[in-house]
Amino acid sequence: LGLWILEWPSALIYAEVFQILAEEVLGYKVEKHGHTGVIESALWALAGCSESTTIQNCQHRLANETLVSTSHLSFETWENYLGATIAGLQSSSRKPLSLGSVGYDGTGGAWLRDSWVQRAMNSEGFGLDSFRHYDARWHSPADFFDHVFDSTGSAAIVAEHKLTPCTDFDPMNNHLEMAKYVELFGDVGGVKNIS
């Protein structure tokens, strides 16, 4: 069985558990592919397209080639991120089939580069992959991230990538929601008191 691996902790855990059960209980040989943070790549791979593609490229290949997929399963392919990819594969006989939930629903999450997680762990034993370390009363997680709005000229990065400050969006620009956030987490570092 080909298993397309998505690179974040919960997806890795499901992949490992599946591999153990498939190999040791059911007797299948499991081959891992992918190892990427691009969620759409799982659907492309299951349809038979390569990882480094676009939905348009995959649609063209599906229409003009006989594709054979080496990946048969993937975990943590969150539907709310996949609208265009799912729609683009609907007319294909090779469209991936959802086998259902793994037991919980998720609508969003944080993805961190492995290099950031490793740097924090190796330098200070700081676990960026656990929400427990984001309590600003005890830790300083900002030390391990780029500061795109600081005075070092990083504003060019923001302009180049058309990034928008979080304060332009709800709930970050909602005084009541941010007051609740400060009350719950005690993190005043990025919150302006406007009262």
Side-chain angles (χ1 to χ4, degrees):
L1 288 172
L3 183 58
W4 189 262
I5 304 296
L6 294 169
E7 287 282 326
W8 48 85
S10 55
L12 292 169
I13 290 169
Y14 280 118
E16 288 298 318
V17 169
F18 173 80
Q19 182 178 11
I20 291 167
L21 293 173
E23 289 183 344
E24 295 182 14
V25 176
L26 301 174
Y28 288 100
K29 178 176 179 359
V30 175
E31 291 184 13
K32 294 180 181 177
H33 306 279
H35 301 279
T36 178
V38 180
I39 197 166
E40 294 87 348
S41 69
L43 295 190
W44 298 331
L46 296 177
C49 298
S50 65
E51 171 191 356
S52 56
T53 189
T54 64
I55 188 57
Q56 292 82 12
N57 177 276
C58 190
Q59 287 172 317
H60 176 76
R61 292 187 62 207
L62 287 167
N64 297 298
E65 300 174 36
T66 302
L67 301 177
V68 177
S69 177
T70 57
S71 295
H72 308 102
L73 294 164
S74 186
F75 293 98
E76 291 271 313
T77 52
W78 293 17
E79 191 173 338
N80 57 309
Y81 290 109
L82 297 171
T85 304
I86 291 171
L89 294 172
Q90 283 304 317
S91 62
S92 170
S93 63
R94 305 233 1 122
K95 72 178 179 193
L97 175 65
S98 173
L99 299 178
S101 173
V102 292
Y104 69 92
D105 292 329
T107 58
W111 181 83
L112 303 171
R113 290 183 184 163
D114 189 53
S115 61
W116 297 346
V117 174
Q118 291 306 315
R119 182 178 51 157
M121 186 59 71
N122 293 338
S123 68
E124 297 185 27
F126 188 87
L128 286 178
D129 54 353
S130 172
F131 71 93
R132 298 178 196 282
H133 289 164
Y134 285 82
D135 186 335
R137 294 173 296 183
W138 303 101
H139 305 286
S140 183
D143 294 347
F144 300 100
F145 296 96
D146 294 335
H147 300 275
V148 295
F149 292 106
D150 64 14
S151 60
T152 62
S154 297
I157 295 171
V158 173
E160 175 186 340
H161 296 288
K162 298 181 177 142
L163 300 175
T164 304
C166 293
T167 53
D168 287 356
F169 299 98
D170 195 36
M172 299 303 193
N173 61 5
N174 182 311
H175 174 70
L176 295 175
E177 289 294 325
M178 292 315 297
K180 188 185 315 177
Y181 169 81
V182 170
E183 179 185 334
L184 290 171
F185 298 103
D187 180 10
V188 295
V191 179
K192 275 187 195 172
N193 186 348
I194 59 170
S195 59

